[in-house]
Amino acid sequence: MSGTATAVRTPVVEVDGLHHHYGSREALAGISLEISRGEIFGLLGPNGGGKTTLFKILSTLMPATGGIVRVFGHDLVREPDAIRRHLGVVFQRPSLDSKLTVMENLQHHGHLYGLRGTALHTRAEALLERLDLGERAHDRVETLSGGLQRRVELAKALVHRPDLLLLDEPSTGLDPGARRDFTTYLGQLREQDGVTVVLTTHILDEAERCDRVGILHRGKLVALGTPDDLKGRLGGDVVVVQSVNPQQLQVKLRERFGCEPVLVDGSLRVERPRGHEFVREIVDAFPGEVQSVTFGKPTLEDVFIHLTGRRLWGEEANGGAAA
Amino acid sequence: MRGLVLPVMTLCWREVVRFRRQRSRLVGAFVQPLVFWLLLGGGLRASFQPPGTPPGTSYVEYVYPGIIAMVLLFTAIFSTISVVEDRREGFLQGVLVAPIARSSIVLGQALGGTTLAVVQGILFLVLAPAAGLSLTVSSVLSVVPVMFLVSFGLTSLGLVIAWRLDSTQGFHAIMNLILLPMWVLSGAFFPTTGVPAWLGWTMQLNPLTYGMAALRRCLYLGNPTAAGAVPGMASALGITLVFCILAFVAAADAARRSAA
């Protein structure tokens, strides 16, 4: 009894003080986090934030230059093969052989994990059915559309029944509909097979649907929690103001309302409870200077802006946060 | 042990399937040596009678075992280029995260290239009568394992290079700089006898010289003098075997050092 209790409590992934350097460039600057069994965990951040480096380390492709990573209790450096057996990986770049058929790709993959014969074939067929790929089983991968190829990638990563699924930017090249299907399917995997999912993403939508999110910026984990928890840390609603002269309005807003507007990509952002009332107050106070005002519940991007002063994609904030 | 065989076989099988589905590779590895043979054999027939070649041997016949070595070399090389492509196109990532040793991956790749090379080498044996060579059953039976050894060594050598490179351009450069000269200086093209001393030394240091000698000795199994002045069977096989092992160990090492 106590044995199973311990097994449940043992985190699937433990990362402690993880560092990584490419030459003198520091890609990961001390990351620590734990991921529990059955969780869908998202690593959110801009390109170059350290997501891909962390992904490569977790998928055993690259040893880190410092720190400890344990997966299923096994040390990543000393026992990579014990980990690899339980690991399913979907890479950002395609990893299918385009000259082989869909089924051949799955079989080849199964053989690498010691599966064979009818058992393997049945498993592969069932996966293809489940992912709605049954009819394309005997087509060469090069004849499939990009979206279908992504689905084959997922099927391939699942052939050997992994307990931990790592996905690097899984929805690259998927339209929003296909992206939703993909997320739904990940949810099913967690419910039915108890699979733990770790994915990297720069798409807010995808991050919002994770159980927990870690936000990576310049090699540091700047936030860690459930999406609601992270958004709740902001001061209520987010009000965004467009103006002909945002710098000037920034000063005026600060003087008038005692708030701290942040200038990001030419628009002013204010975190404020009861945002709808604030919208009216702004328009009343500076009718000539406001082009448009929008307000909304904070998104994870707002969390990111709040923490780093810049958008997930795009330009650095122009000084607002520091002022 | 069983856990090792399956991944190795599947990697090897994939190389063969890919080859079958890429027609242009067949042309590169088979038709090209054939054209070489016709051009060299026909063109140099009259003028080429180097010392050391047994009297009565035409140049077409002399260069025929050399062309077989070329078939093996080209096939082996082209299949190792696919390692560079696998990395560039991403296929290798999926293999590298599987619970198999890098040396098994390399073994699968090497056996894949070797299989392709040997099959084409056997196809080329059919042309022996055109070279004026009548093959006995025993020489065919002995030359096939030798082709296997030579191909395995060459494929492994190709893999040592391929695992260190990330572009096919780089591979072509190295091929022209190392692998092609290896072939030219192996006794495939001209014998060791009658070349300047420095060239003779180079040829004796070239591992392919011994593979080439083993091929000649097997093709002329019942008639050793017709094989010409090449190293004896024992040293030819011994050195070829050592070359195979060293090249494979170096390839496995290159694979271990290679990050994704």
Side-chain angles (χ1 to χ4, degrees):
Chain A
M1 191 63 197
S2 67
T4 45
T6 318
V8 170
R9 256 187 278 118
T10 307
V12 169
V13 180
E14 297 162 83
V15 177
D16 193 13
L18 188 66
H19 283 268
H20 194 79
H21 297 262
Y22 295 106
S24 64
R25 194 173 75 79
E26 190 173 48
L28 292 177
I31 304 265
S32 297
L33 59 90
E34 287 189 356
I35 299 167
S36 342
R37 197 179 137 77
E39 225 182 337
I40 297 184
F41 186 91
L43 285 164
L44 176 70
N47 293 326
K51 279 178 305 175
T52 298
T53 303
L54 183 53
F55 179 88
K56 276 190 175 173
I57 293 168
L58 287 178
S59 62
T60 75
L61 276 178
M62 182 174 78
T65 49
I68 297 169
V69 182
R70 270 190 294 271
V71 181
F72 297 107
H74 298 288
D75 187 280
L76 194 75
V77 179
R78 274 176 295 155
E79 306 168 274
D81 275 354
I83 295 171
R84 284 175 178 150
R85 216 162 285 287
H86 300 280
L87 213 59
V89 188
V90 176
F91 299 93
Q92 187 174 355
R93 285 193 303 148
S95 75
L96 301 168
D97 186 331
S98 59
K99 296 284 172 204
L100 300 186
T101 68
V102 171
M103 184 52 100
E104 284 169 341
N105 266 287
L106 264 54
Q107 283 176 322
H108 183 271
H109 181 84
H111 290 153
L112 294 180
Y113 286 78
L115 306 173
R116 60 162 75 209
T118 346
L120 171 59
H121 197 262
T122 317
R123 168 72 179 156
E125 270 185 336
L127 271 173
L128 292 179
E129 279 310 317
R130 214 164 143 184
L131 286 164
D132 219 6
L133 287 163
E135 285 176 14
R136 309 302 300 268
H138 300 291
D139 293 350
R140 282 196 205 170
V141 165
E142 60 192 354
T143 66
L144 267 56
S145 70
L148 286 181
Q149 290 189 11
R150 286 307 281 173
R151 258 192 272 167
V152 180
E153 293 276 357
L154 180 63
K156 185 177 104 149
L158 292 170
V159 168
H160 56 287
R161 299 177 199 275
D163 300 301
L164 171 61
L165 191 58
L166 299 175
L167 307 112
D168 195 9
E169 305 277 353
S171 45
T172 307
L174 293 187
D175 58 63
R179 198 180 297 156
R180 252 190 310 279
D181 290 349
F182 204 86
T183 325
T184 311
Y185 188 70
L186 291 184
Q188 282 176 19
L189 268 178
R190 184 254 305 268
E191 301 306 329
Q192 294 168 14
D193 308 87
V195 175
T196 309
V197 179
V198 178
L199 56 88
T200 70
T201 185
H202 64 273
I203 295 165
L204 293 165
D205 227 25
E206 198 163 46
E208 297 270 359
R209 281 193 289 259
C210 294
D211 298 326
R212 276 199 310 150
V213 174
I215 298 183
L216 274 173
H217 179 59
R218 292 184 180 154
K220 288 201 173 77
L221 200 59
V222 292
L224 181 66
T226 67
D228 285 343
D229 175 28
L230 295 180
K231 289 182 287 187
R233 289 184 205 170
L234 266 57
D237 300 324
V238 176
V239 177
V240 180
V241 186
Q242 301 288 350
S243 169
V244 196
N245 193 340
Q247 277 89 356
Q248 206 180 339
L249 187 61
Q250 185 178 25
V251 178
K252 288 184 180 172
L253 283 172
R254 195 181 300 140
E255 283 167 357
R256 174 74 179 261
F257 298 105
C259 59
E260 278 302 336
V262 182
L263 186 56
V264 183
D265 282 0
S267 49
L268 290 164
R269 309 173 67 96
V270 187
E271 292 161 20
R272 188 94 171 175
R274 308 184 67 76
H276 57 288
E277 289 172 9
F278 189 53
V279 169
R280 210 183 54 214
E281 288 169 35
I282 293 176
V283 180
D284 283 348
F286 308 107
E289 283 161 83
V290 174
Q291 285 177 307
S292 76
V293 191
T294 56
F295 96 99
K297 298 288 163 203
T299 64
L300 284 173
E301 182 169 34
D302 295 316
V303 175
F304 187 79
I305 293 170
H306 175 83
L307 291 164
T308 65
R310 57 197 318 227
R311 303 194 57 164
L312 267 174
W313 321 275
E315 304 301 308
E316 191 116 10
N318 317 326
Chain B
M1 193 59 196
R2 256 186 72 163
L4 182 93
V5 174
L6 192 58
V8 170
M9 289 315 293
T10 201
L11 287 162
C12 170
W13 164 85
R14 172 178 169 262
E15 296 292 335
V16 175
V17 172
R18 276 179 72 83
F19 184 83
R20 281 216 327 259
R21 292 182 186 168
Q22 291 169 289
R23 291 273 153 75
S24 60
R25 283 177 63 183
L26 192 73
V27 176
F30 193 78
V31 179
Q32 201 174 336
L34 192 66
V35 170
F36 254 74
W37 186 32
L38 293 175
L39 296 182
L40 288 175
L44 295 172
R45 178 174 211 144
S47 53
F48 204 89
Q49 188 57 251
T53 46
T57 310
S58 73
Y59 190 67
V60 177
E61 184 179 345
Y62 177 81
V63 86
Y64 171 73
I67 297 292
I68 289 188
M70 187 188 233
V71 171
L72 303 182
L73 177 74
F74 277 18
T75 314
I77 297 315
F78 280 121
S79 69
T80 55
I81 289 182
S82 65
V83 174
V84 181
E85 285 172 355
D86 281 351
R87 191 200 329 257
R88 208 188 45 208
E89 287 164 18
F91 180 82
L92 201 61
Q93 311 167 91
V95 179
L96 292 177
V97 298
I100 43 176
R102 295 277 166 103
S103 54
S104 302
I105 300 175
V106 173
L107 185 60
Q109 292 168 332
L111 287 178
T114 304
T115 307
L116 294 173
V118 171
V119 168
Q120 299 202 57
I122 292 172
L123 285 178
F124 224 86
L125 283 183
V126 177
L127 299 173
L133 198 75
S134 52
L135 291 176
T136 61
V137 174
S138 53
S139 56
V140 172
L141 288 180
S142 62
V143 83
V144 171
V146 170
M147 289 198 298
F148 183 91
L149 271 185
V150 172
S151 310
F152 189 86
L154 291 173
T155 317
S156 300
L157 184 65
L159 288 171
V160 176
I161 303 162
W163 273 91
R164 289 166 191 273
L165 289 182
D166 48 14
S167 78
T168 39
Q169 279 90 345
F171 196 94
H172 287 299
I174 289 186
M175 189 174 87
N176 289 332
L177 215 65
I178 298 175
L179 300 171
L180 221 54
M182 257 181 88
W183 177 79
V184 171
L185 298 177
S186 68
F189 200 39
F190 49 82
T192 0
T193 42
V195 297
W198 63 271
L199 204 54
W201 274 105
T202 317
M203 288 173 78
Q204 278 180 29
L205 289 173
N206 178 3
L208 193 55
T209 300
Y210 301 88
M212 200 55 245
L215 284 174
R216 284 188 192 279
R217 295 245 171 242
C218 289
L219 288 170
Y220 295 99
L221 201 61
N223 181 10
T225 50
V230 297
M233 187 69 112
S235 62
L237 281 179
I239 291 173
T240 301
L241 190 65
V242 170
F243 169 65
C244 278
I245 295 169
L246 290 181
F248 178 77
V249 169
D253 184 62
R256 257 191 301 276
R257 284 165 197 273
S258 148

